[in-house]
């Protein structure tokens, strides 16, 4: 260990990473400590790199405190799934694990990954081993490393799906940490020789200053919200062939109330690279951030701030140094929408894919609506894949005509239907928030469906029930549901109170703008009603809600992240 490092110049997490012996820390001791359901504080930082977060059931906090008990600790486990593709066998295994060790639900995340919630410390290892049995892992699903790599999910909407998926997978594999700590701790695989020392050729001994996120998109679909990513690759298609990718850098959603130096930011397009250069470009951009990102202030440690602090020209010059060549000039592209188009579609190869709405990404049985049971029975005989989208939905992909018939039959049997969904609900995202997220100020996943029902009444009145409008809610400004890109964004301020943001656009290329602060439900509805009425009567042909509110000056357009106000 290097005693010459002045740790005052770094955040506490930097020291924890450095002293962890490549992410081991005291995790083994923590796991075997019978006295508490928690792990040691430093280990809570390290466990993230292994794909798990320590949480507590916030619904039970008061009662546990009253009874002088420690909080009801449990863990969320996030499964890495580049491009969101799982086999039916993998789905069935996660379904089983969710019942056996977690809270009985599966969460499909905004980055095409699975989450299990409510796993107690003593079941962590068994759950990870169960995940491993179906050739999945949770490595680097969280932590200061590259996270789950997203890609355009729908095979029926693009013949190039397989190719971008392979690209996403290759980036993900290349940027995995190489420490053997995960295999040692969770899978009981010992190091080959005790003397063997881990090295992290890409990350080094302190990993990245902060999380890092990458996605691939295929225009005209911006279903991975490419401009919200630290690094994005936009496929450039000519004569139905991917000739290369435009590269975007410096996107990010996270921000903190009361800290104007933190803000959401859209990525900049900085050039074009050939398909065979993608993995190298990704690596070098990660290295520029590794070497230049802020390691003292974690609130400003993302690539977006490195770029804003030093300038885009500096970043490009630095990247070119690391690469040894310059990116080519960016090529033209056009996005027409973000989000998912629900329903059945037939791909070029004749196979069928169903994009199925999963409210808040939560797969569970609720009364007569038995989504979890339906998907379990479908998986038992499905001949295609289960693909998670970046909008918390699920595609039952690449099935035959007979498979399609059976899926329809089973969805009917378990009363799962998307027929009556409003255009607003179809385009909704809510982050997890309460009861598990320790950072939530207000509800999101448990509340947005109810609020939407009330907004739908207004939309019905003005004959806008089927109008597609993007609405996203998060329980805090960290932005896990990418709310700053929504046409209607709601961000939790305190229990029952939300900031209302308007003016994002339908293709995910514009940030929204704060309209009103700290609103209750009635206030939200009162604010939205006249705007919706105005939209119904005065919109121009084909004009989207987000564009309308800007044309009518309900809000001014946010032109860049630095301008953004909470
Ligand atoms: Fe997130 C932290 C859930 C996507 C920005 N996010 C968290 C934690 C782990 C809370 C914590 O640190 O204690 C949440 C766990 C809640 C729970 O109980 O499950 C959490 N984030 C989620 C998920 C599950 C939301 C969902 O409903 O789907 C998403 C998991 C994605 C995945 O599979 O990897 C999720 N988080 C995002 C996104 C969207 C994206 O990546 O496309 C963002 C905004 C994009 C970005 O990173 O800028 C996002 N999460 C954050 C931040 C703010 C980071 C920042 O730069 O400031 C935090 C807080 C932090 O890191 O300190 C955070
Ligand atoms: Fe939690 Fe905030 Fe992320 Fe929602 S946006 S999951 S409340 S950190």
């Amino acid at each position: 260990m290097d005693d010459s490092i002045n740790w005052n110049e770094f955040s506490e997490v930097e020291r924890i990473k450095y002293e962890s012996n490549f992410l081991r820390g005291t995790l083994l001791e923590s796991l075997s400590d019978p006295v508490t359901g928690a792990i040691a504080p430093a280990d809570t930082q390290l466990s993230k790199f292994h794909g798990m977060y320590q949480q507590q059931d916030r619904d039970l906090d008061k009662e546990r405190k009253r009874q002088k008990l420690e909080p009801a600790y449990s863990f969320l486990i996030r499964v890495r799934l580049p491009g969101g593709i799982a086999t039916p066998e993998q789905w069935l295994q996660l379904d089983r694990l969710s019942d056996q060790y977690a809270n009985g639900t599966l969460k499909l995340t905004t980055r095409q990954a699975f989450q299990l919630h409510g796993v107690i410390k003593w079941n962590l290892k068994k759950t990870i081993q169960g995940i491993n049995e179906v050739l999945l892992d949770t490595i680097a699903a969280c932590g200061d490393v590259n996270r789950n790599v997203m890609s355009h999910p729908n095979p029926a909407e693009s013949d190039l799906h397989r190719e971008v998926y392979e690209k996403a997978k290759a980036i993900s594999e290349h940027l995995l940490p190489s420490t053997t700590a995960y295999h040692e701790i969770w899978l009981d695989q010992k190091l080959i020789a005790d003397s063997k020392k881990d090295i992290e050729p890409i990350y080094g001994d302190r990993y990245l200053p902060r999380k890092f996120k990458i996605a691939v998109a295929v225009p005209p679909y911006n279903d991975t919200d490419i401009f919200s990513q630290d690094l994005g690759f936009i496929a450039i298609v000519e004569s139905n062939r991917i000739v290369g990718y435009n590269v975007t850098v410096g996107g990010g959603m996270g921000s903190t109330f009361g800290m104007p130096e933190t803000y959401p930011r859209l990525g900049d397009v900085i050039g074009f690279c050939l398909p065979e250069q993608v993995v190298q470009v990704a690596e070098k951009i990660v290295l520029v951030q590794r070497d230049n990102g802020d390691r003292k202030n974690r609130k400003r440690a993302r690539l977006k701030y490195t770029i804003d602090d030093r300038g885009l020209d500096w970043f490009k010059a630095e990247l070119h140094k690391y690469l040894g060549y310059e990116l080519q000039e960016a090529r033209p592209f056009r996005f027409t929408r973000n989000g998912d188009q629900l329903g059945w579609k037939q791909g070029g190869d004749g196979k069928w894919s169903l994009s199925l709405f999963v409210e808040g990404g939560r797969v569970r049985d609720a009364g007569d609506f038995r989504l979890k049971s339906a998907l379990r029975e479908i998986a038992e005989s499905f001949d295609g894949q289960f693909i998670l989208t970046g909008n918390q939905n699920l595609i039952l992909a690449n099935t035959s005509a007979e498979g399609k018939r059976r899926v329809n039959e089973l969805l009917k049997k378990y009363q799962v239907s998307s027929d009556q969904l409003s255009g607003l609900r179809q385009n909704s995202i809510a982050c997890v928030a309460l009861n598990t997220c320790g950072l939530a100020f207000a509800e999101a996943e448990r509340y947005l469906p109810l609020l939407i029902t009330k907004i739908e009444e207004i939309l019905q009145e003005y004959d806008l029930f089927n109008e597609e409008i993007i609405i996203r809610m998060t329980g805090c400004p960290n932005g896990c549901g990418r709310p700053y890109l929504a046409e209607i964004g709601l961000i939790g301020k305190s229990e029952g109170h939300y900031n209302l943001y308007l003016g994002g656009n339908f293709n995910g290329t514009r940030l929204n703008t704060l309209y009103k602060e700290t609103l209750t439900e009635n206030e939200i509805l009162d604010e939205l009603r006249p705007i919706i009425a105005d939209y119904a009567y005065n919109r121009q042909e084909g004009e989207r809600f987000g564009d309308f509110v800007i044309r009518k000056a309900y809000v001014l357009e946010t032109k860049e992240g630095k301008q953004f106000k909470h």
Side-chain angles (χ1 to χ4, degrees), residues 379-399:
E380 277 160 6
S381 63
F382 196 62
D383 56 353
Q385 299 100 28
F386 280 59
I387 305 183
L388 280 56
T389 81
N391 302 290
Q392 302 176 323
N393 295 320
L394 178 67
I395 303 176
L396 298 169
N398 287 320
T399 188

Side-chain angles (χ1 to χ4, degrees), residues 58 430-434 436-442 444 473-481 483:
R58 294 181 60 189
C431 75
V432 181
L434 296 165
T436 51
C437 179
L439 306 177
F441 298 133
M473 174 181 276
T474 56
C476 86
N478 280 315
C480 300

Side-chain angles (χ1 to χ4, degrees), residues 48 53-55 76-81 107-117 140-142 144 147-150 210-215 224-225 228-230 251-256 262-265 298-305 360-362 390-392 429-440 444-445 473-474 476-484:
K48 295 181 190 177
Y53 281 80
Q54 179 174 303
Q55 304 188 309
L76 93 69
I77 297 183
R78 194 177 283 165
V79 181
R80 185 176 66 94
L81 201 66
K107 168 83 181 178
L108 315 185
T109 76
T110 52
R111 293 196 69 76
Q112 301 181 282
F114 288 105
Q115 275 186 192
L116 297 170
H117 285 102
C142 330
D144 295 345
R147 303 287 187 91
N148 201 39
V149 180
M150 298 173 71
R210 204 65 163 85
K211 57 179 78 168
F212 195 90
K213 298 183 172 177
I214 303 180
T224 52
D225 273 331
S228 70
Q229 311 285 332
D230 292 276
M253 296 278 101
S255 63
T256 306
T262 66
Y263 45 82
R265 184 186 191 279
R298 287 183 65 79
K299 293 278 185 200
R300 290 196 92 256
R302 298 290 294 271
L303 177 62
K304 59 182 174 180
Y305 303 118
R362 189 67 67 172
N391 302 290
Q392 302 176 323
I429 292 183
C431 75
V432 181
L434 296 165
N435 61 329
T436 51
C437 179
L439 306 177
E445 184 192 316
M473 174 181 276
T474 56
C476 86
N478 280 315
C480 300
R482 300 187 292 271
Y484 306 108

